Amino acid sequence: MYSAFTSVVSMLRAPIMSESALPPLIAVLNGPNMNMLGLRQPDVYGSATLDDVEQLCAEAAEELGLAIDFRQSNGEGELVSWVQECRGRAAGIVINPAGYTTTSIALMDALLATELPVIEVHITNIHRREAFRQHSYISKVAVGVVCGLGIRGYALALEAMAELVGASSSGAGE
């Protein structure tokens, strides 16, 4: 009886797991038409689907000691709201703003307001495409940009983000 009581007391006195023991949360956000990956212009964007991108990100995050919140929206306002939710919740943001890259000052302002590190990702090399695609409002607030490396760019962005937020690279298997 005494040993059971002692065990309970020991458990109560044990240090409580702090939030810092949880893996850093990285929001992986995707803009308009990204839900059409694999269908829309596969000669430009490849045959991988958004589900493939999410799987790649989940695997990379696990290896890097990160947690991810992977989302996609065709709506600018919804993306802005998701970015705002990251403040105080996430450690960083990886974003493929897609069509909002060249148009959304609102998204740029929301990213600035989070005061979080941001990495911009594009599947294609936007600098080798039409002139209007070569300007990015998001690049102005990003610590880095990965473009032209296909969906592998997401994994590279997560690797860079892990370094920025100081994540341990001990995955679940270690």
Side-chain angles (χ1 to χ4, degrees):
M1 185 78 153
Y2 177 75
S3 63
F5 176 74
T6 304
S7 295
V8 170
V9 170
S10 296
M11 286 173 34
L12 291 173
R13 289 186 180 158
I16 297 172
M17 185 183 295
S18 69
E19 285 188 31
S20 63
L22 299 174
L25 177 66
I26 306 302
V28 181
L29 306 178
N30 295 277
N33 298 312
M34 295 303 294
N35 58 314
M36 299 300 291
L37 276 180
L39 301 172
R40 175 182 171 231
Q41 296 176 277
D43 55 318
V44 174
Y45 297 103
S47 60
T49 66
L50 192 60
D51 287 339
D52 296 332
V53 175
E54 184 173 11
Q55 181 65 37
L56 174 75
C57 288
E59 290 169 5
E62 185 175 348
E63 267 184 44
L64 295 164
L66 298 171
I68 61 166
D69 181 4
F70 189 93
R71 301 181 188 192
Q72 184 277 329
S73 178
N74 292 321
E76 182 180 21
E78 187 167 35
L79 278 169
V80 167
S81 293
W82 289 346
V83 166
Q84 290 173 353
E85 289 172 13
C86 290
R87 186 180 172 107
R89 178 177 169 262
I93 300 170
V94 170
I95 186 167
N96 184 337
Y100 295 132
T101 302
T102 61
T103 63
S104 186
I105 293 170
L107 191 53
M108 178 189 73
D109 285 346
L111 289 163
L112 271 172
T114 67
E115 298 180 346
L116 295 171
V118 173
I119 298 178
E120 179 181 2
V121 175
H122 296 283
I123 292 171
T124 66
N125 183 345
I126 60 174
H127 304 290
R128 295 185 71 182
R129 298 192 59 199
E130 304 92 340
F132 72 89
R133 294 186 194 275
Q134 296 173 18
H135 168 73
S136 171
Y137 284 108
I138 307 311
S139 292
K140 296 189 181 311
V141 299
V143 296
V145 178
V146 180
C147 71
L149 300 175
I151 68 168
R152 179 82 180 119
Y154 283 86
L156 295 171
L158 286 169
E159 186 178 325
M161 187 61 76
E163 194 172 303
L164 287 169
V165 302
S168 79
S169 58
S170 61
E174 295 182 19

